[in-house]
């Protein structure tokens, strides 16, 4: 006798079908599991056998052979427990096998028969819908996540007995429903606000421009100047996520196992702040089983790297390609996977090892050699990929003691949203959402510059020795400033303000 149950597995964040084939024959009782299972899948035999018995069901005392197809792809994790158990019950006549048609099943079993959550359910649900499946059986805690995908009946089960009861009587359980529009329209609440920042008007203006155009930012200043405080408030002025952005972000967090329980859709832009001791694989992604790294977990949000020069050089250099392309490619012998990585990079650093080089209030204790070595940890190509370079000085005493409050995040966010809508209208035919994503060709097409502004820019390029990449970034920033002002053409004041965000690095690195 043979029963086939369809399940699924992940390759990166994309799902593919795994057929669980179970054959029952007369012979010495035993269970053989083939199809390149890893240790967790091999151990599923004991979990499934015990869960079936503890659920007052009968485990067949026959010769069982189970194959996980395709047999040339390694199977990992405990998500095959539930389909294995369902298949065994079907092949032994305890379940109607025809009820498994048009259904895909995933879930981990506890020894008492309860069903535990698994990773990557949103990607699996999208795969089930795209391959024409009508029903998807998942752990109950993952049901809302799967139900975000429309045109699919999502059946959340608490236990093996719950699944068996449903398969005997499909009308006993209603599919899980989720109102996606209600989730997206729910206002995001933050514990921080730009109104709490005293002074630093230039820094707040620069972050508004960065948020409006999706630009990367480097904050340079002494300890205590407010660099971290500014960076942590950047998500509060970013526009709300679209449905497509929310789905992309949720898929990444689900595949990585970081999605909170019973959260169907992530609607808040992520803010990731890894420690400077973070490894290459943890930041960029990888591992023996490729998993998304911090730069991918910040997709559609903010990646904050504090104490930038303290990160290992190879880790920082590995970020160059993802920052440029918005995607991370991880290659292994068995497979190659891609993770989206289109995030805003906000980096913060001191101007020297002690932190007080150039500070008018406290003298620097570092030698010129120490300062040069410290700054050289940041390569020119990486600096070129950061659009806005900003000096953040320490607050003056009168600013520090001021009782007034700054402009609230909500008001800044309104201006950012209006600027983003202008960009979306312009760039949507190209599949882009903000100015920072424009190619050189699109910069020439959508960034018309007047003759006076062009003359000023030509002089700035000569004086600062800017690279072609830095030139494009200046024009992109100017385009964003024009969008904030509601201007179709880039004017001289827009270019002048944009150039100043690329001149600070000349003071420290001696290059544009």
């Amino acid at each position: 006798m043979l029963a086939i149950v369809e399940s699924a597995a992940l390759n990166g964040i994309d799902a593919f079908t795994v057929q669980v084939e179970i054959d029952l024959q007369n012979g010495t009782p035993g269970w053989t599991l083939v199809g390149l299972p890893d240790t967790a899948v091999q151990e599923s035999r004991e979990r499934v056998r015990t869960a079936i018995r503890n659920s007052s069901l009968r485990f067949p005392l026959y010769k069982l052979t189970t194959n996980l197809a395709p047999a040339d792809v390694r199977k990992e994790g405990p998500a095959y427990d539930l389909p294995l158990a369902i298949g065994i019950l079907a092949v032994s006549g305890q379940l109607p096998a025809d009820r498994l048609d048009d259904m895909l099943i995933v879930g981990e079993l506890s020894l008492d028969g309860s069903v535990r959550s698994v990773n990557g359910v949103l990607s699996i649900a999208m795969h089930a819908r795209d391959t024409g499946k009508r029903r998807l059986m998942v752990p109950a805690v993952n049901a809302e996540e799967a139900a975000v995908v429309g045109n699919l009946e999502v059946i959340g089960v608490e236990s093996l007995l719950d699944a068996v009861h449903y398969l005997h009587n499909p009308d006993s359980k209603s599919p899980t429903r989720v109102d996606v529009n209600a989730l997206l329209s729910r206002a995001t609440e933050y514990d921080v606000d730009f109104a709490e920042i005293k002074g630093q008007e230039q820094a707040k203006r620069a972050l508004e421009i960065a948020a409006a155009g999706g630009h990367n930012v480097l904050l340079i200043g002494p300890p205590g100047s407010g660099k971290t405080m500014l960076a942590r408030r950047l998500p509060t002025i970013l526009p709300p996520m679209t449905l497509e952005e929310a789905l992309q972000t949720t898929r990444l967090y689900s595949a990585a196992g970081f999605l909170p329980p019973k959260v169907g859709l992530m609607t808040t832009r992520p803010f990731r702040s890894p420690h400077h001791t973070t490894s290459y694989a943890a930041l960029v992604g990888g591992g023996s089983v490729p998993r998304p790294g911090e730069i991918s977990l910040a997709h559609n949000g903010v990646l904050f790297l504090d104490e930038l020069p303290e990160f290992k050089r190879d880790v920082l250099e590995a970020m160059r390609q993802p920052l440029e392309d918005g995607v991370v490619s991880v290659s292994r012998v068995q497979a190659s996977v891609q993770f989206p990585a289109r995030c805003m990079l906000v980096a913060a650093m001191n101007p020297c090892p002690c932190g007080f080089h150039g500070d008018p209030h406290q003298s620097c204790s570092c030698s010129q050699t120490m300062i040069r070595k410290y700054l050289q940890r940041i390569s020119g190509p990486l600096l070129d990929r950061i659009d806005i370079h900003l000096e953040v000085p320490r607050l003056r005493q009168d600013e520090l003691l001021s009782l007034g409050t700054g402009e609230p995040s909500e008001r800044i966010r309104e201006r950012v949203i209006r600027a983003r809508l202008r960009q979306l209208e312009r760039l949507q035919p190209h599949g882009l959402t903000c100015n920072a994503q424009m190619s050189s060709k699109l910069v020439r097409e959508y960034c018309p510059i007047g003759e006076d502004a062009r003359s000023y820019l030509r002089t700035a390029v000569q004086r600062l020795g800017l690279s072609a990449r830095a030139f494009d970034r200046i024009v992109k920033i100017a385009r964003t400033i024009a969008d904030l002002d509601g201007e179709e053409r880039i004017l001289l004041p827009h270019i002048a303000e944009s150039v100043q965000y690329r001149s600070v690095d000349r003071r420290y690195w001696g290059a544009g």
Side-chain angles (χ1 to χ4, degrees):
M1 296 178 64
L2 177 69
I4 298 177
V5 180
E6 292 203 348
S7 187
L10 293 181
N11 178 33
I13 62 170
D14 296 318
F16 61 93
T17 299
V18 174
Q19 285 194 334
V20 181
E21 303 171 339
I22 301 166
D23 180 71
L24 185 147
Q25 299 290 339
N26 290 323
T28 304
W31 186 358
T32 303
L33 183 59
V34 297
L36 280 184
D38 72 348
T39 303
V41 181
Q42 289 281 7
E43 290 175 347
S44 66
R45 291 179 293 184
E46 302 306 319
R47 289 193 298 273
V48 170
R49 180 185 287 111
T50 306
I52 289 176
R53 288 172 175 167
N54 285 339
S55 300
S56 301
L57 298 167
R58 176 174 54 84
F59 188 87
L61 295 178
Y62 292 89
K63 181 181 178 181
L64 277 175
T65 303
T66 304
N67 178 45
L68 304 178
D72 60 341
V73 178
R74 188 164 183 79
K75 316 305 183 307
E76 296 153 341
Y80 307 107
D81 290 2
L82 185 57
L84 282 168
I86 295 296
I88 289 171
L89 295 176
V91 79
S92 60
Q94 300 176 70
L95 280 177
D98 60 334
R99 298 283 170 82
L100 302 177
D101 295 339
D102 295 327
M103 175 181 281
L104 195 146
I105 303 173
V106 292
E108 176 186 351
L109 286 175
S110 297
L111 297 184
D112 62 355
S114 58
V115 181
R116 291 177 172 171
S117 64
V118 294
N119 297 338
V121 166
L122 179 57
S123 294
I124 291 170
M126 295 172 74
H127 171 73
R129 178 199 61 193
D130 295 342
T131 54
K133 293 291 181 290
R134 187 171 61 86
R135 295 173 297 163
L136 173 66
M137 181 179 288
V138 297
V141 293
N142 295 125
E144 290 188 14
E145 175 189 346
V148 169
V149 178
N151 301 321
L152 186 69
E153 292 184 16
V154 177
I155 309 301
V157 293
E158 298 278 357
S159 65
L160 178 58
L161 274 179
D162 192 15
V164 170
H165 183 59
Y166 166 77
L167 291 171
H168 277 296
N169 184 13
D171 295 332
S172 64
K173 186 179 285 288
S174 300
T176 303
R177 305 291 183 192
V178 170
D179 188 342
V180 175
N181 292 326
L183 291 177
L184 288 173
S185 62
R186 188 170 53 197
T188 302
E189 295 183 0
Y190 294 97
D191 297 329
V192 294
D193 196 283
F194 262 81
E196 301 161 355
I197 301 176
K198 297 180 180 180
Q200 302 295 8
E201 297 306 321
Q202 185 185 18
K204 288 189 280 189
R205 166 66 174 173
L207 288 184
E208 179 181 342
I209 295 169
H215 303 289
N216 301 324
V217 184
L218 174 62
L219 305 174
I220 309 172
S225 59
K227 301 185 296 295
T228 302
M229 189 176 186
L230 285 161
R232 291 193 178 279
R233 281 152 182 77
L234 181 57
T236 67
I237 63 173
L238 290 174
M241 283 207 285
T242 63
L243 176 58
E244 183 179 355
E245 289 176 332
L247 288 172
Q248 290 173 348
T249 304
T250 305
R251 288 180 69 190
L252 281 161
Y253 274 71
S254 179
F258 294 150
L259 190 66
K262 295 191 176 182
V263 171
L265 192 67
M266 286 188 62
T267 57
T268 302
R269 293 189 181 274
F271 180 89
R272 304 294 298 185
S273 180
H275 192 261
H276 61 259
T277 57
T278 298
S279 68
Y280 177 102
L283 186 66
V284 181
S288 57
V289 179
R291 293 285 185 269
E294 291 290 340
I295 192 170
S296 292
L297 294 174
H299 182 61
N300 294 319
V302 177
L303 175 65
F304 177 48
L305 301 184
D306 201 4
E307 305 295 345
L308 185 67
E310 302 299 333
F311 283 81
K312 294 179 181 178
R313 181 68 178 257
D314 64 323
V315 172
L316 293 180
E317 294 305 301
M319 294 179 57
R320 285 160 52 178
Q321 179 260 335
L323 287 176
E324 193 74 16
D325 301 336
V327 67
V328 172
S329 299
V330 180
S331 297
R332 293 293 180 266
V333 174
Q334 295 182 344
S336 178
V337 300
Q338 285 191 334
F339 299 113
R342 196 169 291 284
C343 65
M344 283 183 61
L345 171 65
V346 180
M349 61 178 288
N350 297 328
C352 66
C354 77
F356 298 104
H357 176 59
D359 192 320
H361 306 290
Q362 188 164 338
S363 60
C364 174
S365 61
C366 305
S367 67
Q368 289 300 316
T369 301
M370 292 170 63
I371 295 173
R372 186 170 61 255
K373 287 183 176 179
Y374 180 78
L375 294 176
Q376 284 176 348
R377 296 177 187 175
I378 313 300
S379 69
L382 181 60
L383 281 173
D384 252 2
R385 286 166 170 80
I386 301 177
D387 305 359
I388 297 175
H389 303 161
L390 185 68
E391 197 166 17
V392 185
R394 281 205 292 177
L395 291 176
R396 300 190 308 271
Q397 190 174 21
D398 59 328
E399 292 176 320
L400 194 60
L401 297 177
S402 172
L403 297 178
T405 58
E407 189 176 20
S409 294
E410 185 177 357
R411 196 179 305 163
I412 302 173
R413 191 185 201 191
E414 290 173 358
R415 295 196 296 269
V416 168
I417 292 174
R418 287 197 296 268
R420 283 284 184 112
L421 288 175
R422 294 188 184 99
Q423 297 166 50
L424 187 62
E425 183 180 354
R426 184 189 308 128
L427 299 172
Q428 194 169 29
H430 304 282
L432 306 179
T433 58
C434 60
N435 290 331
Q437 300 170 3
M438 287 192 296
S439 64
S440 296
K441 178 182 177 181
L442 294 179
V443 168
R444 292 191 295 271
E445 182 177 349
Y446 293 117
C447 300
I449 304 174
E451 187 54 41
D452 55 345
R454 187 178 299 277
S455 176
Y456 181 93
L457 184 56
R458 189 181 300 114
T459 303
V461 169
Q462 293 173 351
R463 290 184 58 188
L464 299 177
L466 298 173
S467 68
R469 182 182 285 116
F471 174 84
D472 279 352
R473 275 166 164 68
I474 284 179
V475 178
K476 290 179 186 179
I477 295 168
R479 175 70 270 173
T480 300
I481 297 171
D483 288 333
L484 282 169
D485 289 347
E487 296 284 352
E488 284 301 318
R489 293 186 63 84
I490 298 175
L491 306 177
L492 178 58
H494 305 146
I495 288 289
E497 184 177 2
S498 179
V499 167
Q500 75 172 347
Y501 296 127
R502 295 295 306 200
S503 59
V504 171
D505 57 342
R506 184 176 178 83
R507 173 183 170 187
Y508 292 100
W509 285 273

